[in-house]
Amino acid sequence: MDTLNYHHLRYFREVANDGNLTRTAARVNLSQSALSTQIRTLEDRLGHALFDRVGRQLVLTEVGRIALDHADRIFGTGEELMAVLQGAGATSQPLRVGALSTLSRNFQMRFLKPVLGISQTQVILKSGSDTILFDALTSLALDVVLTTEAPSRPEMTAHRIAEQTVGVHGDPSRMGYGSLRDMLAQEPLIVPTDNSIRTGFDSLIARLDVSPRIVADVDDMAMVRLLARENVGLAIAPSVVLADEIASGRLKTAPFDLNIVESFFAVTVQRSFPHPVLDTLLHEPLQT
């Protein structure tokens, strides 16, 4: 099929919505014969009739209905494009979010909550490594990347949107210790490989002169949560990872200060047309 002429498609859409060739010709400032030629040319391109004539009315054929559905979407998308570029398309374009694959799912949900279910914004969420996500951000395939490490790339801006102290969490039966040192020395531990947490944990055990029994060294916070729920050991993690279990009393947080803090960043690049809801998300108070 030859390349579709969108002028022909536009005229077809006008006639289809009106149902009368004469009225449509007057409205679009064309002669009736010229408008008929536009419709016949489109029918030739598509290889199907688009209208049946019933009295003085034009009635869509089955192919005509299919073509009208596609035309509505095509021109609707064009209208959205113009609205976005003119600053009026606040909720029409999808928000493309990248999230480090090891990042807490609870944290991701809390970040996105202001636009989930209360606006028309479609959220497209992509998980992956920081290298893949940052490359996608630079190429403008993503609007924002959520991570726990601020990138060193000069074209990127890292917005610190939250930070949370890291604690020891686990089954209440494992909490009967009078000191952090005794707890870390006696209990099996689930430790994430997250750089900031792991660096702080290694410094902590060196300071306490403890040789811990690490039963799981995990690069995924969802797995840290699952292992803690299954009482495999005590989890070294921000409380947001286990927020539901802590709130329900299934897991408990030990009353010891580890002096480890994890930061959460939303990373962006300079754009002439940033997504309209992004500014709200970057400045929305985030309770973690």
PDB file of all heavy atoms in Angstrom, residues 69-103:
ATOM      1  N   ASP A  69     -12.154   4.528  13.478  1.00  0.00           N
ATOM      2  CA  ASP A  69     -11.572   4.288  14.804  1.00  0.00           C
ATOM      3  C   ASP A  69     -10.085   4.642  14.803  1.00  0.00           C
ATOM      4  O   ASP A  69      -9.590   5.305  15.720  1.00  0.00           O
ATOM      5  CB  ASP A  69     -11.779   2.823  15.198  1.00  0.00           C
ATOM      6  CG  ASP A  69     -11.170   2.504  16.552  1.00  0.00           C
ATOM      7  OD1 ASP A  69     -11.605   3.107  17.555  1.00  0.00           O
ATOM      8  OD2 ASP A  69     -10.252   1.668  16.612  1.00  0.00           O
ATOM      9  N   HIS A  70      -9.381   4.223  13.755  1.00  0.00           N
ATOM     10  CA  HIS A  70      -7.957   4.541  13.671  1.00  0.00           C
ATOM     11  C   HIS A  70      -7.735   6.030  13.425  1.00  0.00           C
ATOM     12  O   HIS A  70      -6.800   6.627  13.984  1.00  0.00           O
ATOM     13  CB  HIS A  70      -7.302   3.718  12.551  1.00  0.00           C
ATOM     14  CG  HIS A  70      -7.032   2.300  12.933  1.00  0.00           C
ATOM     15  ND1 HIS A  70      -8.007   1.332  13.004  1.00  0.00           N
ATOM     16  CD2 HIS A  70      -5.882   1.683  13.298  1.00  0.00           C
ATOM     17  CE1 HIS A  70      -7.486   0.185  13.374  1.00  0.00           C
ATOM     18  NE2 HIS A  70      -6.197   0.373  13.561  1.00  0.00           N
ATOM     19  N   ALA A  71      -8.580   6.640  12.615  1.00  0.00           N
ATOM     20  CA  ALA A  71      -8.435   8.068  12.350  1.00  0.00           C
ATOM     21  C   ALA A  71      -8.625   8.885  13.620  1.00  0.00           C
ATOM     22  O   ALA A  71      -7.884   9.849  13.874  1.00  0.00           O
ATOM     23  CB  ALA A  71      -9.448   8.498  11.286  1.00  0.00           C
ATOM     24  N   ASP A  72      -9.621   8.501  14.432  1.00  0.00           N
ATOM     25  CA  ASP A  72      -9.846   9.214  15.695  1.00  0.00           C
ATOM     26  C   ASP A  72      -8.620   9.144  16.582  1.00  0.00           C
ATOM     27  O   ASP A  72      -8.226  10.128  17.217  1.00  0.00           O
ATOM     28  CB  ASP A  72     -11.058   8.628  16.420  1.00  0.00           C
ATOM     29  CG  ASP A  72     -12.381   9.041  15.789  1.00  0.00           C
ATOM     30  OD1 ASP A  72     -12.391  10.032  15.048  1.00  0.00           O
ATOM     31  OD2 ASP A  72     -13.395   8.362  16.034  1.00  0.00           O
ATOM     32  N   ARG A  73      -8.004   7.971  16.637  1.00  0.00           N
ATOM     33  CA  ARG A  73      -6.811   7.818  17.478  1.00  0.00           C
ATOM     34  C   ARG A  73      -5.632   8.600  16.917  1.00  0.00           C
ATOM     35  O   ARG A  73      -4.862   9.218  17.653  1.00  0.00           O
ATOM     36  CB  ARG A  73      -6.462   6.339  17.628  1.00  0.00           C
ATOM     37  CG  ARG A  73      -7.325   5.629  18.653  1.00  0.00           C
ATOM     38  CD  ARG A  73      -6.905   4.196  18.844  1.00  0.00           C
ATOM     39  NE  ARG A  73      -7.416   3.347  17.757  1.00  0.00           N
ATOM     40  CZ  ARG A  73      -7.002   2.107  17.536  1.00  0.00           C
ATOM     41  NH1 ARG A  73      -6.059   1.587  18.269  1.00  0.00           N
ATOM     42  NH2 ARG A  73      -7.529   1.390  16.553  1.00  0.00           N
ATOM     43  N   ILE A  74      -5.473   8.557  15.592  1.00  0.00           N
ATOM     44  CA  ILE A  74      -4.354   9.264  14.959  1.00  0.00           C
ATOM     45  C   ILE A  74      -4.456  10.767  15.213  1.00  0.00           C
ATOM     46  O   ILE A  74      -3.499  11.408  15.666  1.00  0.00           O
ATOM     47  CB  ILE A  74      -4.325   8.975  13.441  1.00  0.00           C
ATOM     48  CG1 ILE A  74      -3.861   7.535  13.189  1.00  0.00           C
ATOM     49  CG2 ILE A  74      -3.410   9.967  12.716  1.00  0.00           C
ATOM     50  CD1 ILE A  74      -4.057   7.077  11.755  1.00  0.00           C
ATOM     51  N   PHE A  75      -5.628  11.337  14.937  1.00  0.00           N
ATOM     52  CA  PHE A  75      -5.766  12.786  15.104  1.00  0.00           C
ATOM     53  C   PHE A  75      -5.871  13.175  16.575  1.00  0.00           C
ATOM     54  O   PHE A  75      -5.467  14.275  16.960  1.00  0.00           O
ATOM     55  CB  PHE A  75      -6.964  13.286  14.311  1.00  0.00           C
ATOM     56  CG  PHE A  75      -6.723  13.246  12.824  1.00  0.00           C
ATOM     57  CD1 PHE A  75      -7.332  12.279  12.029  1.00  0.00           C
ATOM     58  CD2 PHE A  75      -5.858  14.139  12.220  1.00  0.00           C
ATOM     59  CE1 PHE A  75      -7.097  12.228  10.666  1.00  0.00           C
ATOM     60  CE2 PHE A  75      -5.615  14.100  10.856  1.00  0.00           C
ATOM     61  CZ  PHE A  75      -6.234  13.135  10.063  1.00  0.00           C
ATOM     62  N   GLY A  76      -6.373  12.264  17.413  1.00  0.00           N
ATOM     63  CA  GLY A  76      -6.371  12.520  18.853  1.00  0.00           C
ATOM     64  C   GLY A  76      -4.962  12.613  19.395  1.00  0.00           C
ATOM     65  O   GLY A  76      -4.637  13.477  20.222  1.00  0.00           O
ATOM     66  N   THR A  77      -4.084  11.717  18.900  1.00  0.00           N
ATOM     67  CA  THR A  77      -2.680  11.758  19.318  1.00  0.00           C
ATOM     68  C   THR A  77      -2.014  13.042  18.847  1.00  0.00           C
ATOM     69  O   THR A  77      -1.214  13.655  19.575  1.00  0.00           O
ATOM     70  CB  THR A  77      -1.928  10.543  18.750  1.00  0.00           C
ATOM     71  OG1 THR A  77      -2.516   9.342  19.256  1.00  0.00           O
ATOM     72  CG2 THR A  77      -0.457  10.575  19.145  1.00  0.00           C
ATOM     73  N   GLY A  78      -2.360  13.478  17.624  1.00  0.00           N
ATOM     74  CA  GLY A  78      -1.806  14.732  17.130  1.00  0.00           C
ATOM     75  C   GLY A  78      -2.233  15.915  17.980  1.00  0.00           C
ATOM     76  O   GLY A  78      -1.434  16.813  18.269  1.00  0.00           O
ATOM     77  N   GLU A  79      -3.486  15.915  18.422  1.00  0.00           N
ATOM     78  CA  GLU A  79      -3.977  16.992  19.285  1.00  0.00           C
ATOM     79  C   GLU A  79      -3.263  16.972  20.635  1.00  0.00           C
ATOM     80  O   GLU A  79      -2.938  18.018  21.202  1.00  0.00           O
ATOM     81  CB  GLU A  79      -5.491  16.849  19.464  1.00  0.00           C
ATOM     82  CG  GLU A  79      -6.276  17.158  18.185  1.00  0.00           C
ATOM     83  CD  GLU A  79      -7.714  16.666  18.246  1.00  0.00           C
ATOM     84  OE1 GLU A  79      -8.112  16.152  19.320  1.00  0.00           O
ATOM     85  OE2 GLU A  79      -8.432  16.802  17.239  1.00  0.00           O
ATOM     86  N   GLU A  80      -3.016  15.757  21.154  1.00  0.00           N
ATOM     87  CA  GLU A  80      -2.281  15.648  22.415  1.00  0.00           C
ATOM     88  C   GLU A  80      -0.861  16.183  22.259  1.00  0.00           C
ATOM     89  O   GLU A  80      -0.327  16.848  23.157  1.00  0.00           O
ATOM     90  CB  GLU A  80      -2.245  14.197  22.881  1.00  0.00           C
ATOM     91  CG  GLU A  80      -3.582  13.676  23.390  1.00  0.00           C
ATOM     92  CD  GLU A  80      -3.484  12.235  23.854  1.00  0.00           C
ATOM     93  OE1 GLU A  80      -2.376  11.662  23.801  1.00  0.00           O
ATOM     94  OE2 GLU A  80      -4.506  11.678  24.283  1.00  0.00           O
ATOM     95  N   LEU A  81      -0.231  15.868  21.120  1.00  0.00           N
ATOM     96  CA  LEU A  81       1.125  16.354  20.867  1.00  0.00           C
ATOM     97  C   LEU A  81       1.165  17.879  20.900  1.00  0.00           C
ATOM     98  O   LEU A  81       2.029  18.474  21.551  1.00  0.00           O
ATOM     99  CB  LEU A  81       1.616  15.846  19.512  1.00  0.00           C
ATOM    100  CG  LEU A  81       2.935  16.442  18.994  1.00  0.00           C
ATOM    101  CD1 LEU A  81       4.078  16.133  19.955  1.00  0.00           C
ATOM    102  CD2 LEU A  81       3.237  15.923  17.600  1.00  0.00           C
ATOM    103  N   MET A  82       0.225  18.509  20.235  1.00  0.00           N
ATOM    104  CA  MET A  82       0.195  19.965  20.224  1.00  0.00           C
ATOM    105  C   MET A  82      -0.058  20.519  21.627  1.00  0.00           C
ATOM    106  O   MET A  82       0.548  21.517  22.031  1.00  0.00           O
ATOM    107  CB  MET A  82      -0.887  20.456  19.263  1.00  0.00           C
ATOM    108  CG  MET A  82      -0.608  20.117  17.803  1.00  0.00           C
ATOM    109  SD  MET A  82       0.973  20.769  17.209  1.00  0.00           S
ATOM    110  CE  MET A  82       0.677  22.535  17.344  1.00  0.00           C
ATOM    111  N   ALA A  83      -0.939  19.864  22.369  1.00  0.00           N
ATOM    112  CA  ALA A  83      -1.229  20.325  23.727  1.00  0.00           C
ATOM    113  C   ALA A  83      -0.008  20.225  24.621  1.00  0.00           C
ATOM    114  O   ALA A  83       0.276  21.110  25.433  1.00  0.00           O
ATOM    115  CB  ALA A  83      -2.391  19.527  24.320  1.00  0.00           C
ATOM    116  N   VAL A  84       0.753  19.126  24.486  1.00  0.00           N
ATOM    117  CA  VAL A  84       1.962  18.935  25.295  1.00  0.00           C
ATOM    118  C   VAL A  84       2.984  20.029  24.993  1.00  0.00           C
ATOM    119  O   VAL A  84       3.559  20.642  25.893  1.00  0.00           O
ATOM    120  CB  VAL A  84       2.572  17.544  25.030  1.00  0.00           C
ATOM    121  CG1 VAL A  84       3.981  17.459  25.618  1.00  0.00           C
ATOM    122  CG2 VAL A  84       1.698  16.459  25.636  1.00  0.00           C
ATOM    123  N   LEU A  85       3.204  20.294  23.712  1.00  0.00           N
ATOM    124  CA  LEU A  85       4.208  21.286  23.331  1.00  0.00           C
ATOM    125  C   LEU A  85       3.777  22.709  23.680  1.00  0.00           C
ATOM    126  O   LEU A  85       4.601  23.600  23.809  1.00  0.00           O
ATOM    127  CB  LEU A  85       4.502  21.182  21.826  1.00  0.00           C
ATOM    128  CG  LEU A  85       5.112  19.852  21.385  1.00  0.00           C
ATOM    129  CD1 LEU A  85       5.421  19.874  19.898  1.00  0.00           C
ATOM    130  CD2 LEU A  85       6.377  19.527  22.179  1.00  0.00           C
ATOM    131  N   GLN A  86       2.479  22.909  23.852  1.00  0.00           N
ATOM    132  CA  GLN A  86       1.977  24.221  24.256  1.00  0.00           C
ATOM    133  C   GLN A  86       1.771  24.324  25.761  1.00  0.00           C
ATOM    134  O   GLN A  86       1.253  25.314  26.256  1.00  0.00           O
ATOM    135  CB  GLN A  86       0.655  24.502  23.536  1.00  0.00           C
ATOM    136  CG  GLN A  86       0.825  24.671  22.030  1.00  0.00           C
ATOM    137  CD  GLN A  86      -0.487  24.647  21.271  1.00  0.00           C
ATOM    138  OE1 GLN A  86      -1.554  24.632  21.877  1.00  0.00           O
ATOM    139  NE2 GLN A  86      -0.407  24.618  19.953  1.00  0.00           N
ATOM    140  N   GLY A  87       2.159  23.248  26.481  1.00  0.00           N
ATOM    141  CA  GLY A  87       2.071  23.277  27.930  1.00  0.00           C
ATOM    142  C   GLY A  87       0.705  23.007  28.492  1.00  0.00           C
ATOM    143  O   GLY A  87       0.448  23.241  29.670  1.00  0.00           O
ATOM    144  N   ALA A  88      -0.192  22.450  27.671  1.00  0.00           N
ATOM    145  CA  ALA A  88      -1.555  22.210  28.149  1.00  0.00           C
ATOM    146  C   ALA A  88      -1.851  20.742  28.362  1.00  0.00           C
ATOM    147  O   ALA A  88      -2.919  20.387  28.827  1.00  0.00           O
ATOM    148  CB  ALA A  88      -2.563  22.780  27.139  1.00  0.00           C
ATOM    149  N   GLY A  89      -0.892  19.882  28.038  1.00  0.00           N
ATOM    150  CA  GLY A  89      -1.156  18.447  28.142  1.00  0.00           C
ATOM    151  C   GLY A  89      -0.654  17.866  29.438  1.00  0.00           C
ATOM    152  O   GLY A  89       0.195  17.001  29.461  1.00  0.00           O
ATOM    153  N   ALA A  90      -1.165  18.309  30.559  1.00  0.00           N
ATOM    154  CA  ALA A  90      -0.610  17.973  31.870  1.00  0.00           C
ATOM    155  C   ALA A  90      -0.681  16.496  32.194  1.00  0.00           C
ATOM    156  O   ALA A  90       0.149  15.981  32.903  1.00  0.00           O
ATOM    157  CB  ALA A  90      -1.339  18.775  32.950  1.00  0.00           C
ATOM    158  N   THR A  91      -1.689  15.794  31.700  1.00  0.00           N
ATOM    159  CA  THR A  91      -1.832  14.409  32.135  1.00  0.00           C
ATOM    160  C   THR A  91      -1.941  13.440  30.972  1.00  0.00           C
ATOM    161  O   THR A  91      -2.233  12.275  31.177  1.00  0.00           O
ATOM    162  CB  THR A  91      -3.079  14.248  33.017  1.00  0.00           C
ATOM    163  OG1 THR A  91      -4.240  14.627  32.269  1.00  0.00           O
ATOM    164  CG2 THR A  91      -2.977  15.096  34.268  1.00  0.00           C
ATOM    165  N   SER A  92      -1.726  13.895  29.710  1.00  0.00           N
ATOM    166  CA  SER A  92      -1.977  13.023  28.573  1.00  0.00           C
ATOM    167  C   SER A  92      -0.794  12.131  28.227  1.00  0.00           C
ATOM    168  O   SER A  92      -0.969  11.024  27.743  1.00  0.00           O
ATOM    169  CB  SER A  92      -2.372  13.866  27.348  1.00  0.00           C
ATOM    170  OG  SER A  92      -1.342  14.787  27.042  1.00  0.00           O
ATOM    171  N   GLN A  93       0.412  12.577  28.430  1.00  0.00           N
ATOM    172  CA  GLN A  93       1.567  11.804  28.023  1.00  0.00           C
ATOM    173  C   GLN A  93       1.989  10.837  29.133  1.00  0.00           C
ATOM    174  O   GLN A  93       1.872  11.141  30.318  1.00  0.00           O
ATOM    175  CB  GLN A  93       2.719  12.743  27.663  1.00  0.00           C
ATOM    176  CG  GLN A  93       3.183  13.630  28.802  1.00  0.00           C
ATOM    177  CD  GLN A  93       4.136  14.706  28.351  1.00  0.00           C
ATOM    178  OE1 GLN A  93       3.856  15.891  28.417  1.00  0.00           O
ATOM    179  NE2 GLN A  93       5.303  14.289  27.901  1.00  0.00           N
ATOM    180  N   PRO A  94       2.466   9.652  28.755  1.00  0.00           N
ATOM    181  CA  PRO A  94       2.879   8.690  29.781  1.00  0.00           C
ATOM    182  C   PRO A  94       4.123   9.156  30.519  1.00  0.00           C
ATOM    183  O   PRO A  94       4.991   9.822  29.946  1.00  0.00           O
ATOM    184  CB  PRO A  94       3.154   7.417  28.969  1.00  0.00           C
ATOM    185  CG  PRO A  94       3.443   7.889  27.587  1.00  0.00           C
ATOM    186  CD  PRO A  94       2.608   9.117  27.394  1.00  0.00           C
ATOM    187  N   LEU A  95       4.188   8.824  31.800  1.00  0.00           N
ATOM    188  CA  LEU A  95       5.369   9.116  32.611  1.00  0.00           C
ATOM    189  C   LEU A  95       6.228   7.857  32.621  1.00  0.00           C
ATOM    190  O   LEU A  95       5.808   6.803  33.092  1.00  0.00           O
ATOM    191  CB  LEU A  95       4.960   9.481  34.043  1.00  0.00           C
ATOM    192  CG  LEU A  95       6.103   9.711  35.029  1.00  0.00           C
ATOM    193  CD1 LEU A  95       6.895  10.961  34.650  1.00  0.00           C
ATOM    194  CD2 LEU A  95       5.576   9.827  36.456  1.00  0.00           C
ATOM    195  N   ARG A  96       7.442   7.975  32.089  1.00  0.00           N
ATOM    196  CA  ARG A  96       8.341   6.827  31.966  1.00  0.00           C
ATOM    197  C   ARG A  96       9.374   6.874  33.093  1.00  0.00           C
ATOM    198  O   ARG A  96      10.206   7.768  33.137  1.00  0.00           O
ATOM    199  CB  ARG A  96       9.012   6.825  30.598  1.00  0.00           C
ATOM    200  CG  ARG A  96       8.028   6.600  29.452  1.00  0.00           C
ATOM    201  CD  ARG A  96       8.687   6.666  28.086  1.00  0.00           C
ATOM    202  NE  ARG A  96       7.783   6.216  27.042  1.00  0.00           N
ATOM    203  CZ  ARG A  96       6.880   6.981  26.443  1.00  0.00           C
ATOM    204  NH1 ARG A  96       6.783   8.248  26.802  1.00  0.00           N
ATOM    205  NH2 ARG A  96       6.094   6.492  25.503  1.00  0.00           N
ATOM    206  N   VAL A  97       9.269   5.896  33.983  1.00  0.00           N
ATOM    207  CA  VAL A  97      10.087   5.867  35.197  1.00  0.00           C
ATOM    208  C   VAL A  97      11.008   4.656  35.163  1.00  0.00           C
ATOM    209  O   VAL A  97      10.560   3.521  34.930  1.00  0.00           O
ATOM    210  CB  VAL A  97       9.196   5.795  36.455  1.00  0.00           C
ATOM    211  CG1 VAL A  97      10.058   5.774  37.719  1.00  0.00           C
ATOM    212  CG2 VAL A  97       8.217   6.962  36.485  1.00  0.00           C
ATOM    213  N   GLY A  98      12.274   4.890  35.392  1.00  0.00           N
ATOM    214  CA  GLY A  98      13.235   3.797  35.543  1.00  0.00           C
ATOM    215  C   GLY A  98      13.546   3.612  37.016  1.00  0.00           C
ATOM    216  O   GLY A  98      13.659   4.588  37.758  1.00  0.00           O
ATOM    217  N   ALA A  99      13.656   2.370  37.451  1.00  0.00           N
ATOM    218  CA  ALA A  99      13.972   2.090  38.849  1.00  0.00           C
ATOM    219  C   ALA A  99      15.044   1.015  38.916  1.00  0.00           C
ATOM    220  O   ALA A  99      14.950  -0.016  38.230  1.00  0.00           O
ATOM    221  CB  ALA A  99      12.726   1.632  39.605  1.00  0.00           C
ATOM    222  N   LEU A 100      16.054   1.287  39.717  1.00  0.00           N
ATOM    223  CA  LEU A 100      17.104   0.292  39.932  1.00  0.00           C
ATOM    224  C   LEU A 100      16.458  -1.025  40.336  1.00  0.00           C
ATOM    225  O   LEU A 100      15.573  -1.054  41.189  1.00  0.00           O
ATOM    226  CB  LEU A 100      18.053   0.788  41.021  1.00  0.00           C
ATOM    227  CG  LEU A 100      19.413   0.100  41.141  1.00  0.00           C
ATOM    228  CD1 LEU A 100      20.256   0.356  39.896  1.00  0.00           C
ATOM    229  CD2 LEU A 100      20.142   0.614  42.378  1.00  0.00           C
ATOM    230  N   SER A 101      16.866  -2.117  39.717  1.00  0.00           N
ATOM    231  CA  SER A 101      16.192  -3.397  39.930  1.00  0.00           C
ATOM    232  C   SER A 101      16.249  -3.857  41.377  1.00  0.00           C
ATOM    233  O   SER A 101      15.404  -4.645  41.811  1.00  0.00           O
ATOM    234  CB  SER A 101      16.799  -4.471  39.016  1.00  0.00           C
ATOM    235  OG  SER A 101      18.193  -4.582  39.226  1.00  0.00           O
ATOM    236  N   THR A 102      17.214  -3.374  42.137  1.00  0.00           N
ATOM    237  CA  THR A 102      17.330  -3.766  43.547  1.00  0.00           C
ATOM    238  C   THR A 102      16.563  -2.844  44.479  1.00  0.00           C
ATOM    239  O   THR A 102      16.535  -3.066  45.686  1.00  0.00           O
ATOM    240  CB  THR A 102      18.814  -3.779  43.964  1.00  0.00           C
ATOM    241  OG1 THR A 102      19.374  -2.472  43.759  1.00  0.00           O
ATOM    242  CG2 THR A 102      19.604  -4.791  43.154  1.00  0.00           C
ATOM    243  N   LEU A 103      15.940  -1.823  43.946  1.00  0.00           N
ATOM    244  CA  LEU A 103      15.289  -0.816  44.783  1.00  0.00           C
ATOM    245  C   LEU A 103      14.013  -1.366  45.409  1.00  0.00           C
ATOM    246  O   LEU A 103      13.277  -2.132  44.787  1.00  0.00           O
ATOM    247  CB  LEU A 103      14.955   0.416  43.941  1.00  0.00           C
ATOM    248  CG  LEU A 103      14.604   1.705  44.681  1.00  0.00           C
ATOM    249  CD1 LEU A 103      15.805   2.220  45.459  1.00  0.00           C
ATOM    250  CD2 LEU A 103      14.140   2.763  43.690  1.00  0.00           C
TER     251      LEU A 103
END
